[in-house]
Amino acid sequence: MNRQILVVEDEAPIREMITFVLEQNGFNAIEAETIEQAQAKIKEPYPDLILLDWMLPGGTGVKLAKSLKQNEYTRSIPIIMLTARADEDDKVKGFDAGIDDYVTKPFSPKELIARIKAVIRRVAPTALEEAIEFHGIKLDPVAHRVSINDENLDLGPTEFRLLHFFLTHTERVYSREQLLDNVWGTNVYVEDRTVDVHIRRLRKAISGQGHEDFIQTVRGSGYRFSGKIKDRV
Amino acid sequence: MNRQILVVEDEAPIREMITFVLEQNGFNAIEAETIEQAQAKIKEPYPDLILLDWMLPGGTGVKLAKSLKQNEYTRSIPIIMLTARADEDDKVKGFDAGIDDYVTKPFSPKELIARIKAVIRRVAPTALEEAIEFHGIKLDPVAHRVSINDENLDLGPTEFRLLHFFLTHTERVYSREQLLDNVWGTNVYVEDRTVDVHIRRLRKAISGQGHEDFIQTVRGSGYRFSGKIKDRV
DNA sequence: TATTACTGTCATGAAACTGTCACAAAAAGT
DNA sequence: ACTTTTTGTGACAGTTTCATGACAGTAATA
């Protein structure tokens, strides 16, 4: 699952260039021209990082940064500010808003990629590198290994990613589409119902002894991964 | 409640193909060949989304997009542009006019549908995500869970929406029609009395031990969700 | 190249959910 | 007390949604 990076930049050539560089380096770029567009595109598949231009029509990037940092769900998304001036004041303003790093235009692709990787490494080791444990289920992203009650089990790639996603997003219903976006990738065209099949495969794999079904079907809405006992009737 | 999609495309074969694909996927297609036709057909039942061809007789699609975005009532209708060229200039012009997304011809049906769904998902905000508590009733829209006095209970989709509506609109009488509008959706043809049945189902579900009947019947007017002891009339 | 693993899609049957009805019960009106 | 209007309820059939097994195409591996 490639990292999603949201590029907020109003000047088309620069935006295109950045997107190109990102995709050459294995990232997944989402483009936004304005603050409004950015806000719209942030939802659903939350990006792993945001590249935010300093000067934007309709308000400075700092504005957007601040509002993101105030939202529980977007607060943890790292932000790298793109600025044309290495102005000291701007930096201060940016850091107030919780900016994670700066890249001053013009910049080399190498520099950009290096900064991005540095920030991701710094910010998201927990999110993507660290082993997760949940009610006896252990998942180690590095070793790519899963166990339930210390009993190893092997999953196919998709089931692994699906479980990983669920383990990091428990107690919340996700529609089939949201799961597709998050587990399969944003612009993959796959049938909704395919999710069902993979849910089934995952269920089968983790349905060892008596323990509850962690994956709960919420009819008409999607699926939920939960440690709580299934709703009583 | 099918989505209405207006297809503005002058070439009949393409238009018909699109319509076909849309209807296969549960959308409701309205066809228009020219900008004038489109403008005429937009009124009344405002479409939920517009598929707009780039090259149209009598002006480019951007023209139409711009005029739509200037009208208070049509401004919020998302637009997906169909373009034969992945031309940079076109894209920029389109975004100026507030285009929500692009699909470059030729496109696969899957891609088209995926884009449409993505845009609709992005535009239609996912209600309030905040959990509600009212006299021991907890409803969590995110987890899609309901509990009374910490005891989980299972509701069907309609009962869930109905309860959600009531919890966000307590102490106030709603007619059956108002409930239909708010819970079922605006242009749904359903008998008034159907509300009664769902009220009954919801009552049954939340009628645990002794606690009052939260849903009160107001004879001749409708229903009220209230935490107060039922008024003697 | 042969074999194996993995994916996405489909067909099918089961289960859940919905909207309506018909009739009972309750309230309001005469 | 009797009639009329409105609401409560149980039943039911049609529809929608979901679980599941099968299958064929593709990618990975030996």
Side-chain angles (χ1 to χ4, degrees):
Chain A
M1 183 172 53
N2 283 348
R3 308 279 188 164
Q4 305 274 341
I5 298 187
L6 176 64
V7 182
V8 189
E9 161 67 72
D10 60 314
E11 295 172 68
I14 297 179
R15 192 178 62 246
E16 295 286 327
M17 188 275 278
I18 293 175
T19 300
F20 176 74
V21 170
L22 291 179
E23 289 180 344
Q24 287 299 304
N25 283 273
F27 295 101
N28 221 320
I30 308 165
E31 298 188 1
E33 277 202 359
T34 64
I35 290 185
E36 290 73 31
Q37 263 190 41
Q39 280 170 328
K41 296 204 175 179
I42 274 170
K43 313 209 166 157
E44 291 319 321
Y46 289 118
D48 295 288
L49 185 144
I50 297 175
L51 285 178
L52 184 54
D53 187 24
W54 171 254
M55 292 299 288
L56 285 171
T60 70
V62 173
K63 217 174 195 170
L64 176 61
K66 276 190 181 160
S67 83
L68 289 177
K69 292 297 176 183
Q70 280 167 4
N71 178 308
E72 185 195 346
Y73 294 101
T74 55
R75 180 160 38 209
S76 59
I77 301 174
I79 298 177
I80 294 180
M81 199 72 126
L82 306 175
T83 169
R85 333 175 250 173
D87 189 313
E88 187 55 43
D89 279 348
D90 289 355
K91 283 200 180 181
V92 174
K93 279 185 196 167
F95 276 111
D96 273 350
I99 300 303
D100 294 277
D101 203 350
Y102 271 89
V103 178
T104 306
K105 291 190 267 191
F107 48 81
S108 73
K110 267 190 188 177
E111 183 188 356
L112 180 65
I113 296 299
R115 299 278 191 126
I116 288 174
K117 285 187 176 170
V119 168
I120 286 183
R121 213 177 312 129
R122 193 171 71 225
V123 167
T126 353
L128 227 71
E129 305 272 300
E130 215 163 82
I132 306 161
E133 176 157 11
F134 182 83
H135 288 262
I137 302 180
K138 284 183 206 156
L139 184 149
D140 184 341
V142 177
H144 207 275
R145 196 165 257 159
V146 182
S147 68
I148 299 191
N149 302 327
D150 293 320
E151 192 172 344
N152 260 5
L153 67 129
D154 48 6
L155 300 175
T158 304
E159 278 69 57
F160 186 88
R161 289 201 308 277
L162 183 57
L163 178 60
H164 188 204
F165 176 78
F166 272 139
L167 286 175
T168 50
H169 300 80
T170 62
E171 303 301 337
R172 181 173 174 145
V173 175
Y174 289 92
S175 70
R176 291 171 176 74
E177 283 195 8
Q178 288 176 311
L179 289 172
L180 284 176
D181 279 351
N182 284 291
V183 178
W184 275 254
T186 320
N187 29 16
V188 178
Y189 310 116
V190 176
E191 289 294 319
D192 282 8
R193 300 302 310 281
T194 297
V195 174
D196 297 30
V197 178
H198 284 276
I199 288 282
R200 159 129 192 309
R201 287 167 183 161
L202 181 55
R203 268 178 174 156
K204 207 171 185 179
I206 67 179
S207 76
Q209 44 270 11
H211 59 59
E212 305 301 322
D213 190 0
F214 290 102
I215 304 172
Q216 297 161 5
T217 305
V218 179
R219 195 162 249 263
S221 299
Y223 296 96
R224 170 180 55 207
F225 197 91
S226 165
K228 297 175 189 168
I229 309 287
K230 156 110 186 157
D231 302 343
R232 40 156 262 91
V233 183
Chain B
M1 186 169 53
N2 280 349
R3 307 279 187 172
Q4 304 275 340
I5 297 186
L6 176 63
V7 183
V8 189
E9 161 72 65
D10 59 315
E11 292 168 79
I14 298 179
R15 193 178 60 245
E16 281 159 17
M17 188 274 278
I18 293 175
T19 299
F20 175 74
V21 171
L22 290 180
E23 290 180 345
Q24 286 298 304
N25 284 275
F27 294 102
N28 223 320
I30 308 165
E31 296 187 9
E33 282 189 48
T34 64
I35 290 186
E36 290 71 34
Q37 262 189 44
Q39 279 169 330
K41 296 205 175 179
I42 274 170
K43 316 209 164 159
E44 272 322 309
Y46 288 118
D48 295 291
L49 185 145
I50 298 175
L51 284 178
L52 184 54
D53 186 27
W54 172 253
M55 292 300 288
L56 285 171
T60 70
V62 172
K63 217 173 198 170
L64 176 61
K66 276 191 180 158
S67 83
L68 288 177
K69 292 298 176 185
Q70 280 166 6
N71 178 309
E72 182 188 351
Y73 295 105
T74 54
R75 179 160 39 208
S76 59
I77 301 174
I79 298 176
I80 293 180
M81 198 73 125
L82 305 175
T83 170
R85 335 174 248 170
D87 188 312
E88 183 55 43
D89 281 346
D90 290 0
K91 284 202 179 180
V92 173
K93 281 185 195 165
F95 275 111
D96 275 350
I99 299 302
D100 294 90
D101 202 356
Y102 271 88
V103 179
T104 306
K105 291 191 267 190
F107 47 82
S108 73
K110 271 189 188 177
E111 181 183 355
L112 181 66
I113 296 299
R115 298 280 189 124
I116 289 173
K117 286 185 176 172
V119 168
I120 287 182
R121 207 183 319 137
R122 201 164 66 220
V123 169
T126 324
L128 277 198
E129 295 203 328
E130 224 162 275
I132 306 161
E133 177 158 12
F134 183 82
H135 288 264
I137 302 180
K138 284 184 210 156
L139 185 150
D140 182 344
V142 173
H144 208 279
R145 269 205 156 108
V146 181
S147 68
I148 299 192
N149 302 326
D150 292 320
E151 192 174 348
N152 267 352
L153 66 125
D154 230 0
L155 296 178
T158 304
E159 279 68 57
F160 186 89
R161 289 200 308 276
L162 183 57
L163 178 60
H164 191 193
F165 175 78
F166 272 139
L167 286 175
T168 49
H169 301 79
T170 61
E171 308 299 344
R172 189 176 159 166
V173 178
Y174 290 91
S175 71
R176 291 171 175 74
E177 269 192 29
Q178 287 175 309
L179 289 172
L180 283 177
D181 278 353
N182 284 292
V183 178
W184 274 254
T186 325
N187 29 12
V188 183
Y189 90 103
V190 173
E191 291 292 322
D192 279 10
R193 297 300 311 283
T194 297
V195 174
D196 296 31
V197 177
H198 282 276
I199 289 282
R200 158 118 198 317
R201 287 169 182 160
L202 181 54
R203 270 177 173 155
K204 207 172 186 178
I206 65 180
S207 75
Q209 44 268 9
H211 58 59
E212 307 301 322
D213 188 1
F214 289 100
I215 305 173
Q216 297 163 2
T217 305
V218 180
R219 189 163 247 264
S221 301
Y223 297 95
R224 172 178 54 208
F225 197 90
S226 165
K228 299 171 188 166
I229 307 288
K230 180 165 183 175
D231 300 324
R232 261 316 39 177
V233 181

